[in-house]
Amino acid sequence: MDTPLEAGLPGLVLAQAEQPPLLEISGLRTDIRLRSSTVHAVDGVDLVVHPGETVGLVGESGCGKTMTALSVMRLLPTGGHVVGGSIRLDGTDLVGLDEDEMRQVRGNAVGMVFQDPLTSLNPTMPVGRQIEETVRTHRPVSRAGARRRALEVLDLVGIARAASRVDDYPHQFSGGMRQRVMIAMALACEPRLLLADEPTTALDVTIQAQILELVDALRRDLGMAVVLVTHDLGVIAGRADRIAVMYAGRVVETAETTRLFDDPRHRYTEALLAALPERFADTGGRLHTIPGLPPDLTRPPTGCRFAERCRFAEDDCRATDPALSGPPGHRFACLHPVDRLHHLEVAERGPDPVRLPAHREVLLSVEHLVKDFPLGGSLFGRRRGTVSAVADVGFEVRRGETLGLVGESGCGKTTTGRLVVGLDPPTSGTVRVRGADLGSLSRTGMRRLRREVQFMFQDPFSSLDPRMRVGSILREPLQIQRLGSRTEQRSRVLDLLDTVGLPRASVERYPHEFSGGQRQRIGLARALALTPGLVVADEPVSALDVSIQAQVLNTMRDLQSELDLTYVVISHDLSVIRYLSDRIGVMYLGKLVEEGPAEEVYLRPRHPYTTALIDTIPVADPHRERTKRRVPLTGELPSAADPPSGCRFRTRCPLAQDRCAVEEPPLRELTPGHRVACHFPVPVAGPAAV
Amino acid sequence: MTLFLARRAAQAVVVMLLVSLIVFVLLHLLPGGTARAVLGPRASAAQLRSFDHEYGLDKPILEQFGIWLSQLLHGNLGYSYKLNQSVASLIAEKLPKTLVLNLLALVVSVVVAIPIGVGQAVRRNSVFDYSATFLGFVFYSTPVFFLSLMLVLWFSLDLGWFPAQAPQASTVSGILAEPSGLVLPVASLVLLQVSLFTRYLRSAVLDNLVQDYVRTAYAKGASRTRVVYRHVLRNSLIPMVTILGLSLPILLAGSLVTEQVFNYPGMGLLFYQEAVVADYPTLLGITLVVGIATVVGNLLADVGYALLDPRVRYA
């Protein structure tokens, strides 16, 4: 992406170790006082950022990475205070500044970009005014001057025709464009340091790639340093020069990026990398998991904070607190670091789940499925057209098989899932489960079918009734279906808890008492209560941290072979889909554009969208990330209310020709079992070679 | 925006038709019918019949509704046999006075409530917050007549600062010429409304203060005053618009109690006096005006929403 270089700005600044650091955090401790306790959210963090470099701050939720960034800006939530250590920016300790001096730092020397661009912009103020505010706060410029600068930076971050969009409100921009506006706002005063807190977590992968590329280009052009805070090891692998891994309020390991991925020394880093589904995607082997949960930071444990969950912990780990040590380029806080003899590969991983041969009867068959949603339309309002959410989708799933549906948000994958389980009626088309047509079923027939088909919801926090005990949640489906006596139902509930690996005492507890991963297990147990043949899982692990994700994925695989389950898994995460699925279906704007055996689709994608998607999704492997083609997909998803004529992907397709606008490509079988909807399929030697 | 307004206005017209229908039905439910109400209990059957014939009350009910509606559109709200005056002229005389009193009270309430509500939210759980909450509840829960009488007792009888009675002038300008007479009636209304408005505003500001966009504003280096008054206030006023819109009927109907206590010659006092003597045409005329004001108030709230919230404007 070409970004116009502003005249007079410093050119490329190389990250050099001998330069004095731009940001030097040492011994930082940040507490958050709650009503009756204090969370030691950041507890002795050391971090150095040199001018012009990108430092990745990575860790799971609650590890203190965001609190570290917010401490630098002194934007901590209510009750939050820096209680120790120093934050030196260009030699000045920010901790000692008063509030007025601090305001001179924010938005001026340090800019910050937040996670959710939807909520991070003021909804009632035009974007231009919001950018002008930054400029006018720190520069002695007139209104007109501030506006000129706002236009400049909007142009810089790639907002086309900035002058015509500057008076628009945030809701008139797409998610990706809003994040560009956020970046423009953070950059308006040319800060020397940009703090990006999960800048792409709320965005789709193709948009994520564009935003990360933009931040990278701006860093190079403007000579800023970037601190990239993220939970996504893939994002960090491709973008960071150096990485600091955080765990329980501490930095546990820091090294140059390739070194950290190739040769992790801290046991937590090692475990985190091993828990990634891409590690066993090709074999479908059992994932490494990190048992247990991170420690409670209101009462941090003595000794190494990871000892509780570490397979290699010994007595000294629980007694002494390891400090960061090792050579300057690679420091870690571990008493028994990874070495050739003692690493996870040789550790007990448990048996790989058996994959049953799936060439059996067709359990689910979907034909010409269409779902339109009316747009607008009230008593007096005119109906303003329809959103074509699912447009002529068809596939079959055999018993014991897993079909993965992958695509960006708005591609219709969740709608398809809801139609399959009969949560919504289709506009047209048929869904058959074991040959029975869902559309022709009576009320009783539908209720009986619910036993056969179950839905596992995305959000483990909002999909469980907060006022019901877990026992009642799991018993409810049995009661509705009038299955068994009370005693039988109770014992079934206990069995279910055993099945998903939760303690039996859980029946008396409420959902809020469980962690995200445990709640997702409750969701799985609820889905399994009626011993269904088919489970549709919508983003089953997207709300979970990597280590917890691995536990849930293992459980899903185990149960599949144990109970002979059939899964339809819906996810935006291709590595999760690839790990779980026998077959993969790729969706784009309501259409199934490619469908085939998982490895075939992943390694030899034929549709240009699949190719781009595989190229775009960040992989936790710095070597592969660095050789990748940058930003293979430009533009954004067109509106489903007015889909492009012919092939719906043509507006973003690098291979599109005139024919694509006129004629809609049918889904046709190119090689046995591999169907593609494209006039000009990509030749076989695909880009992804593993 | 135009389309949005047109749609809302169309909805309002339908609702107003329904309101007028309800008032018409009420008119027909009068005990003994209009004739009995006008001619009194001793009128003979023949007298009642000839009255009905004279005023078209023996026609089919739908036709009567049609006539009544067309009269309504020509500004004829009925005739008060008790006051021997048309209801429309009665309302035309009282309405501006009520409007003056209540508009004044509303403006003062909003102007007072904004800094208090914002201050309470910004300094949540402070002494200021607690005392404002406490006083708010006290004023809100005290009966208006008692509050008004206490005001008269202290500020008029004891201290002698303001007159105990509202200005009695027959014109609006005459009333405005005696501002000191307006102080106590306005104050009694303000004390009540401020408690309500601050409560709403406090919770709206609290909701907004924890939003991500507030953190973004701080991250730009904006000061707290700027963040609160430039970013948070506007977003917090959006829910306030509903309450303001819904207070329009009160503006027109007047406050029964306040107007009665201070003998203020407005709609509230008129309603009270005519209710005592069972002057149904006047009461229903006022009911109709208030009903329409409610609908219009809702419409204005929608417009206010659209002005404050661009997301609604472009929806």
Side-chain angles (χ1 to χ4, degrees):
Chain A
M1 177 164 297
D2 48 352
T3 36
L5 231 174
E6 256 198 290
L9 280 176
L12 240 162
V13 178
L14 294 170
Q16 283 160 345
E18 61 266 27
Q19 268 184 297
L22 175 65
L23 178 74
E24 192 175 11
I25 299 177
S26 51
L28 179 68
R29 289 193 297 123
T30 301
D31 282 359
I32 297 165
R33 277 181 216 122
L34 304 176
R35 215 162 264 244
S36 55
S37 59
T38 300
V39 180
H40 305 285
V42 180
D43 202 356
V45 159
D46 298 326
L47 187 73
V48 174
V49 182
H50 292 284
E53 73 171 343
T54 299
V55 173
L57 203 53
V58 72
E60 298 181 281
S61 50
C63 72
K65 56 190 191 301
T66 295
M67 288 304 150
T68 304
L70 291 177
S71 298
V72 174
M73 292 290 263
R74 209 189 288 167
L75 287 175
L76 294 161
T78 318
H81 296 279
V82 172
V83 292
S86 66
I87 304 168
R88 292 188 176 281
L89 183 76
D90 264 338
T92 319
D93 189 357
L94 300 183
V95 176
L97 297 185
D98 66 25
E99 189 53 32
D100 276 343
E101 292 166 322
M102 204 51 219
R103 289 208 292 115
Q104 296 308 310
V105 175
R106 293 187 200 125
N108 197 12
V110 187
M112 187 156 183
V113 177
F114 300 98
Q115 174 170 351
D116 191 348
L118 178 68
T119 56
S120 294
L121 291 167
N122 185 343
T124 60
M125 201 186 261
V127 294
R129 289 257 314 278
Q130 299 193 45
I131 300 171
E132 286 163 32
E133 192 179 15
T134 315
V135 183
R136 306 247 298 165
T137 306
H138 300 292
R139 296 285 148 88
V141 290
S142 63
R143 247 217 129 97
R147 196 177 172 83
R148 265 199 307 281
R149 180 65 187 153
L151 284 172
E152 257 170 42
V153 284
L154 278 176
D155 194 51
L156 190 70
V157 297
I159 302 275
R161 299 190 312 280
S164 65
R165 309 279 338 245
V166 67
D167 289 322
D168 283 353
Y169 289 91
H171 71 274
Q172 293 166 288
F173 291 84
S174 67
M177 285 296 154
R178 275 183 219 149
Q179 197 59 299
R180 284 171 194 263
V181 170
M182 275 299 290
I183 293 171
M185 200 181 294
L187 295 184
C189 288
E190 296 167 13
R192 304 195 49 206
L193 175 66
L194 181 72
L195 302 174
D197 184 11
E198 304 269 11
T200 56
T201 306
L203 305 174
D204 271 317
V205 273
T206 57
I207 309 301
Q208 162 170 293
Q210 294 172 8
I211 294 291
L212 290 173
E213 189 56 31
L214 173 71
V215 170
D216 232 17
L218 291 170
R219 175 186 62 87
R220 268 182 270 119
D221 294 346
L222 306 178
M224 317 180 278
V226 174
V227 174
L228 186 60
V229 177
T230 180
H231 71 283
D232 190 329
L233 290 159
V235 164
I236 217 130
R239 303 289 165 177
D241 300 309
R242 281 189 309 117
I243 292 178
V245 181
M246 284 191 71
Y247 185 78
R250 298 245 167 111
V251 171
V252 293
E253 182 163 11
T254 167
E256 190 263 321
T257 304
T258 36
R259 188 141 170 208
L260 188 97
F261 278 93
D262 292 349
D263 182 25
R265 300 299 305 275
H266 196 282
R267 291 294 175 187
Y268 173 66
T269 317
E270 181 197 27
L272 200 59
L273 291 172
L276 292 171
E278 44 257 60
R279 290 283 153 133
F280 292 95
D282 38 352
T283 61
R286 192 178 187 75
L287 296 174
H288 283 289
T289 59
I290 305 178
L293 293 169
D296 177 4
L297 290 182
T298 56
R299 272 164 298 139
T302 50
C304 172
R305 295 184 173 191
F306 186 59
E308 259 326 283
R309 307 173 72 190
C310 183
R311 288 166 205 268
F312 301 89
E314 290 174 27
D315 288 345
D316 52 347
C317 295
R318 294 181 189 91
T320 33
D321 197 353
L324 273 180
S325 60
H330 191 166
R331 292 156 63 80
F332 47 89
C334 187
L335 295 176
H336 308 282
V338 185
D339 57 39
R340 275 204 191 89
L341 291 173
H342 305 91
H343 59 91
L344 270 180
E345 295 302 316
V346 291
E348 185 63 35
R349 186 155 58 87
D352 287 346
V354 199
R355 274 209 160 164
L356 297 167
H359 306 289
R360 294 183 291 182
E361 95 237 48
V362 172
L363 186 78
L364 169 72
S365 126
V366 172
E367 284 160 36
H368 302 296
L369 199 61
V370 174
K371 181 70 184 177
D372 293 333
F373 290 105
L375 201 60
S378 62
L379 190 54
F380 295 99
R382 231 164 357 98
R383 204 169 122 160
R384 278 169 292 169
T386 49
V387 171
S388 165
V390 176
D392 195 11
V393 163
F395 53 82
E396 284 182 347
V397 187
R398 290 169 193 278
R399 202 148 78 93
E401 197 179 53
T402 301
L403 172 75
L405 285 180
V406 69
E408 295 177 271
S409 56
C411 73
K413 55 190 192 301
T414 295
T415 310
T416 306
R418 292 179 61 92
L419 295 174
V420 163
V421 295
L423 281 174
D424 291 324
T427 306
S428 66
T430 50
V431 175
R432 278 179 224 278
V433 178
R434 281 195 213 285
D437 182 357
L438 241 65
S440 65
L441 285 178
S442 62
R443 234 179 151 72
T444 6
M446 197 63 207
R447 200 168 69 199
R448 201 151 302 137
L449 181 99
R450 290 250 185 270
R451 290 183 204 172
E452 195 56 40
V453 186
Q454 282 293 316
F455 202 76
M456 187 175 163
F457 292 93
Q458 172 170 2
D459 186 351
F461 297 91
S462 60
S463 59
L464 300 173
D465 186 336
R467 281 172 197 83
M468 265 169 100
R469 289 174 204 273
V470 168
S472 316
I473 290 174
L474 297 182
R475 244 182 73 194
E476 195 180 26
L478 301 169
Q479 287 171 325
I480 292 170
Q481 297 283 350
R482 299 191 196 97
L483 290 178
S485 64
R486 284 176 79 89
T487 357
E488 281 166 348
Q489 289 178 355
R490 279 213 192 97
S491 71
R492 172 83 185 122
V493 166
L494 294 179
D495 287 349
L496 282 168
L497 288 171
D498 291 345
T499 312
V500 297
L502 286 173
R504 290 184 157 212
S506 307
V507 284
E508 289 302 320
R509 294 165 68 191
Y510 288 96
H512 73 262
E513 298 173 60
F514 295 86
S515 70
Q518 288 174 322
R519 273 186 245 199
Q520 204 54 304
R521 283 160 192 263
I522 298 171
L524 184 58
R526 191 200 53 78
L528 295 176
L530 299 169
T531 53
L534 175 69
V535 174
V536 176
D538 186 8
E539 302 276 9
V541 292
S542 67
L544 308 177
D545 275 318
V546 176
S547 66
I548 312 296
Q549 167 179 306
Q551 296 172 10
V552 174
L553 291 179
N554 277 346
T555 311
M556 285 180 72
R557 288 295 288 273
D558 290 345
L559 292 177
Q560 178 164 41
S561 50
E562 239 168 74
L563 306 174
D564 199 12
L565 288 175
T566 308
Y567 285 131
V568 173
V569 180
I570 296 161
S571 179
H572 69 283
D573 188 338
L574 193 59
S575 49
V576 167
I577 289 286
R578 185 186 174 208
Y579 174 73
L580 281 177
S581 309
D582 301 294
R583 303 180 66 78
I584 292 180
V586 181
M587 290 190 70
Y588 184 81
L589 210 60
K591 291 276 179 192
L592 192 62
V593 295
E594 181 159 6
E595 196 253 340
E599 286 309 278
E600 178 86 6
V601 170
Y602 189 81
L603 297 176
R604 285 176 289 279
R606 306 298 302 276
H607 196 282
Y609 177 63
T610 316
T611 324
L613 205 59
I614 291 168
D615 255 12
T616 315
I617 288 168
V619 188
D621 178 352
H623 303 289
R624 263 190 68 196
E625 278 296 310
R626 283 182 187 179
T627 54
K628 258 188 193 172
R629 209 151 44 97
R630 288 302 189 204
V631 191
L633 268 195
T634 52
E636 302 195 358
L637 202 70
S639 161
D642 182 22
S645 64
C647 174
R648 291 189 173 188
F649 182 58
R650 72 177 162 82
T651 51
R652 300 173 77 190
C653 182
L655 309 173
Q657 316 235 343
D658 293 345
R659 183 181 165 199
C660 303
V662 187
E663 198 184 323
E664 187 181 326
L667 201 61
R668 58 201 165 102
E669 202 161 37
L670 291 184
T671 51
H674 190 168
R675 299 181 300 157
V676 179
C678 184
H679 292 307
F680 309 101
V682 180
V684 169
V690 175
Chain B
M1 180 72 180
T2 336
L3 191 77
F4 166 81
L5 280 184
R7 211 161 53 222
R8 283 286 188 282
Q11 287 170 359
V13 167
V14 174
V15 178
M16 281 193 275
L17 262 175
L18 289 173
V19 169
S20 61
L21 183 66
I22 291 168
V23 171
F24 179 76
V25 169
L26 285 175
L27 205 56
H28 273 260
L29 290 178
L30 291 183
T34 316
R36 178 67 74 194
V38 173
L39 301 178
R42 258 174 284 177
S44 71
Q47 282 173 314
L48 292 177
R49 257 198 312 280
S50 78
F51 182 91
D52 278 354
H53 186 71
E54 193 184 336
Y55 290 94
L57 294 176
D58 51 354
K59 288 182 179 153
I61 186 120
L62 268 179
E63 198 184 331
Q64 283 190 49
F65 180 61
I67 294 170
W68 185 76
L69 205 60
S70 91
Q71 290 288 316
L72 202 62
L73 292 175
H74 289 94
N76 184 356
L77 291 174
Y79 192 80
S80 164
Y81 302 96
K82 296 271 158 57
L83 295 176
N84 229 345
Q85 200 178 351
S86 76
V87 173
S89 73
L90 264 174
I91 290 177
E93 185 189 321
K94 305 289 184 188
L95 193 63
K97 297 175 187 165
T98 287
L99 207 56
V100 163
L101 176 70
N102 286 288
L103 209 55
L104 215 56
L106 187 71
V107 170
V108 173
S109 303
V110 170
V111 168
V112 173
I114 287 178
I116 296 181
V118 170
Q120 274 186 279
V122 172
R123 275 182 285 280
R124 186 187 190 178
N125 297 340
S126 65
V127 177
F128 173 71
D129 183 21
Y130 286 128
S131 9
T133 301
F134 175 75
L135 284 178
F137 279 130
V138 167
F139 288 129
Y140 195 68
S141 49
T142 310
V144 188
F145 79 89
F146 183 74
L147 198 63
S148 309
L149 289 176
M150 285 301 117
L151 287 174
V152 170
L153 187 67
W154 290 330
F155 295 101
S156 183
L157 302 182
D158 289 357
L159 296 167
W161 289 357
F162 309 108
Q165 182 170 262
Q168 295 299 307
S170 57
T171 59
V172 171
S173 49
I175 288 174
L176 288 175
E178 288 178 63
S180 67
L182 281 172
V183 171
L184 292 185
V186 167
S188 82
L189 292 170
V190 165
L191 285 177
L192 183 78
Q193 285 174 352
V194 161
S195 339
L196 181 74
F197 291 168
T198 46
R199 205 69 206 151
Y200 269 94
L201 197 62
R202 176 183 182 271
S203 74
V205 172
L206 280 178
D207 284 348
N208 273 286
L209 277 175
V210 295
Q211 296 295 313
D212 287 347
Y213 74 83
V214 172
R215 190 179 54 186
T216 307
Y218 280 120
K220 293 182 206 175
S223 64
R224 189 159 93 166
T225 326
R226 196 185 162 85
V227 170
V228 169
Y229 282 94
R230 279 302 171 84
H231 291 274
V232 172
L233 185 59
R234 180 173 170 157
N235 284 292
S236 309
L237 284 179
I238 295 172
M240 287 284 291
V241 163
T242 313
I243 315 170
L244 290 182
L246 292 180
S247 62
L248 186 71
I250 303 167
L251 282 186
L252 301 189
S255 155
L256 285 183
V257 182
T258 308
E259 293 193 4
Q260 214 251 324
V261 170
F262 293 98
N263 194 26
Y264 187 89
M267 298 274 281
L269 191 61
L270 177 70
F271 194 89
Y272 176 79
Q273 287 165 345
E274 298 317 287
V276 173
V277 297
D279 180 4
Y280 294 115
T282 308
L283 297 183
L284 286 172
I286 296 176
T287 307
L288 185 68
V289 169
V290 172
I292 289 171
T294 309
V295 177
V296 173
N298 270 310
L299 185 67
L300 287 180
D302 282 344
V303 174
Y305 248 102
L307 285 178
L308 280 173
D309 192 343
R311 285 164 296 185
V312 177
R313 208 182 307 164
Y314 295 94

